[in-house]
Amino acid sequence: MLRVAVVGSGPSGVYAAQTLVQQREVPGVRVDVLDRLPAPYGLVRYGVAPDHEKIKSLQGSLRTVLEDERIRFLGNVEVGGAALPAARLLELYHAVVYCVGAARDRMLGIPGEDLAGVHSATAFVSWYSGHPDAAAEAFGLPGVDAAVVVGAGNVAVDVTRILARGAAGLAPTDMPQPALAALADSGLRTVSMVARRGPSQARFTTKELRELGTLPGVDARTDPAELALDPVYADPDAAAALPAVARRNLEVLRGWAAAAPAAGPRRIALRFYLRPVEVLGGPDGRVTGMRFERTAPDGRGGVTGTGVHEDVEAQLVLRSVGYRGVPLAGLPFDPVTGTVPHAAGRVLRAGRASVGEYVAGWIKRGPTGVIGTNRPCAKETASSLLQDAGVLSRRALPGDPLDALRAAGLRPVEWPGWMAIESAEADLGRSLGRRSVKIPDWPGLLAAAGAPPAL
Ligand SMILES: Cc1cc2nc3c(=O)[nH]c(=O)nc-3n(C[C@H](O)[C@H](O)[C@H](O)COP(=O)(O)OP(=O)(O)OC[C@H]3O[C@@H](n4cnc5c(N)ncnc54)[C@H](O)[C@@H]3O)c2cc1C
């Protein structure tokens, strides 16, 4: 038997486990999927926007994999901490596949970023997704009339949409009740989503952009003068040469610029060619706005500052300028790329493949691509592992790793524990007159899972 630990139950971890048990070359592979959270599915549960039900429903196919009898889910097990160092994990298994994601946000690196009311999109996403590490009270929104979202990717679009959508559109989701109540009570009227470069360079996809323009009670606008700064905008030949997504995005924005204002209590303003310079604050230490420098195309695909500044009012600022991986103690890490060095998924230590250590997903290739991109990525890693199986399986293991985890003071939440959380969330939703509603805190999750108290 080949016993493998997959660390992380997001898409890459689940796809790696699936590939390992569903192949035929190496019989008898058994996989434990470990996660530091009591709940599986990684960012599909704690990142994908709650109002995107179709993508959320991917949890169903991940669940089918984790219910395979050759796979065991062990939640509430953090790897790399004092209780379970990476080296100890490798003693318990023939091989370990690290699929720990890359969900740390990047900073803007400008003055005022530490003012109250300035947050990463990651923190905001974690809050409305009910991640148990997010502080429940982090986003009191009373007094917030205007928000600025810095960034032009799909996560920036997600947080803009969640801020603008209003309670009626969010109540059918599994959003935790405190987050739903805070968004419902907010008097927010304007969300400005601001990009440093031009519309043809934005990274959001057309479906997500278009959706912003269809939200009930929301007027989605963009400034025709800012669109016109993009050299591609007025040049049909150059526009025709753009990738299809950028071309379609421009068409949507052209429509927004030409449309008559829509009636409604809220407004989304999509702004371009503005570089963040400083977050402005009041005497109480809270954000009051953001200062931007207008930029202009530099003719080489980048932008250059113009020295002209513009202040945009905001009582809430969310930065959404990219993700990066965090080092896991005991595992090599490249601080430049924010990933674990590897060759075809084999972890490299000092340039050489480390026996029994593998990596897949965002921590392998960086935070790019959609959920499906993790499937071929995980397959490549699993194939490398299976090629090495002959050597790896020669080592005798000390017994069932679950006993060793418990002996180390860990309290793994197994599949029945996760099922109990799911059913507690359904009960919570019923009691609130909603569908299933997430439990957003550690004590609540562990109590629902029936996990024994800490030793
Ligand atoms: C806000 C947001 C929205 C997104 N929306 C979409 C979308 O709508 N559609 C789409 O296709 N893609 C979307 N994505 C991208 C998608 O979520 C990623 O491609 C995918 O989740 C990456 O998978 P992963 O397995 O590498 O990492 P993750 O999904 O992050 O999973 C990593 C797992 O590892 C666990 N872990 C971390 N450290 C440890 C440790 N030390 N010990 C044990 N466990 C650990 C984590 O708890 C987590 O469960 C979104 C991403 C973000 C950030």
Side-chain angles (χ1 to χ4, degrees), residues 8 11-12 35-36 42-43 47 55 77 79 99-101 323 362 370-371 374:
S12 62
D35 204 293
R36 61 178 289 272
L43 284 170
I55 305 168
V77 175
V79 176
C99 304
V100 290
Y323 285 83
W362 271 15
V370 292
I371 291 168
N374 296 292

Side-chain angles (χ1 to χ4, degrees), residues 7-13 34-37 39-44 46-49 52 55 58 77-80 99-103 125 128 131 155 158 208 323 328 360-363 365 368-372 374:
V7 183
S9 64
S12 62
L34 279 45
D35 204 293
R36 61 178 289 272
L37 298 178
Y41 313 139
L43 284 170
V44 183
Y46 289 118
V48 170
H52 277 175
I55 305 168
L58 272 175
V77 175
E78 173 142 21
V79 176
C99 304
V100 290
V125 169
Y128 69 61
H131 193 295
V155 176
D158 275 353
E208 278 64 28
Y323 285 83
L328 188 144
W362 271 15
I363 194 63
R365 58 174 210 281
T368 57
V370 292
I371 291 168
N374 296 292

Side-chain angles (χ1 to χ4, degrees), residues 1 30 60 71 92 111 124 173 297 379 390 430 435:
M1 189 205 289
R30 292 289 178 273
I71 296 177
L92 302 177
F124 187 63
T173 72
K379 269 193 175 168
R430 258 191 301 279
R435 301 209 307 245

